[in-house]
Amino acid sequence: MTDTLSCPFLDIADSIPDSLYVLRHEPSGKYGCYCHEGVHGLACFSTQGHAFRFAEWIDLSGMASQNVTFDEARDIAKARPLPIVSLMLLDDMSAPKIHYVR
């Protein structure tokens, strides 16, 4: 079952950490994203190790982890073009925690 966070008033601190890692390809400005059950989102992780394991799946060399706050990650997700509509904590890829940003 997927934990879906769609209301900004929920206690997000219990579900998604304040400090996250995202993957960025500096030359192109692209970020690591993921699609889970038709929902597209910016991939984020609670540890750098989780981020690096996910980077192995991306067919783009030069991905680097970037440590960001939850608010910064939300802003990055909001700035991504559609179909990105969420921020996804992918520490457990079979049950991501999804926070909708639009």
Side-chain angles (χ1 to χ4, degrees):
M1 181 173 191
T2 302
D3 288 333
T4 303
L5 303 173
S6 58
C7 177
F9 303 110
L10 291 176
D11 189 4
I12 295 169
D14 289 340
S15 299
I16 299 180
D18 290 333
S19 179
L20 299 165
Y21 289 89
V22 296
L23 294 168
R24 179 177 165 85
H25 184 253
E26 193 63 40
S28 67
K30 293 181 179 182
Y31 285 86
C33 294
Y34 188 69
C35 180
H36 178 75
E37 296 182 1
V39 177
H40 294 262
L42 174 71
C44 66
F45 308 89
S46 62
T47 69
Q48 194 172 34
H50 285 119
F52 284 141
R53 280 192 291 283
F54 183 77
E56 293 173 356
W57 291 22
I58 298 174
D59 190 25
L60 185 61
S61 64
M63 296 296 284
S65 70
Q66 181 179 355
N67 186 242
V68 297
T69 66
F70 172 77
D71 289 335
E72 290 169 331
R74 283 188 80 234
D75 289 342
I76 293 167
K78 286 179 184 178
R80 300 296 88 211
L82 290 175
I84 303 302
V85 296
S86 68
L87 176 66
M88 289 189 179
L89 181 64
L90 294 176
D91 290 347
D92 178 358
M93 291 185 66
S94 65
K97 295 187 185 325
I98 300 173
H99 172 73
Y100 288 91
V101 296
R102 57 174 146 197

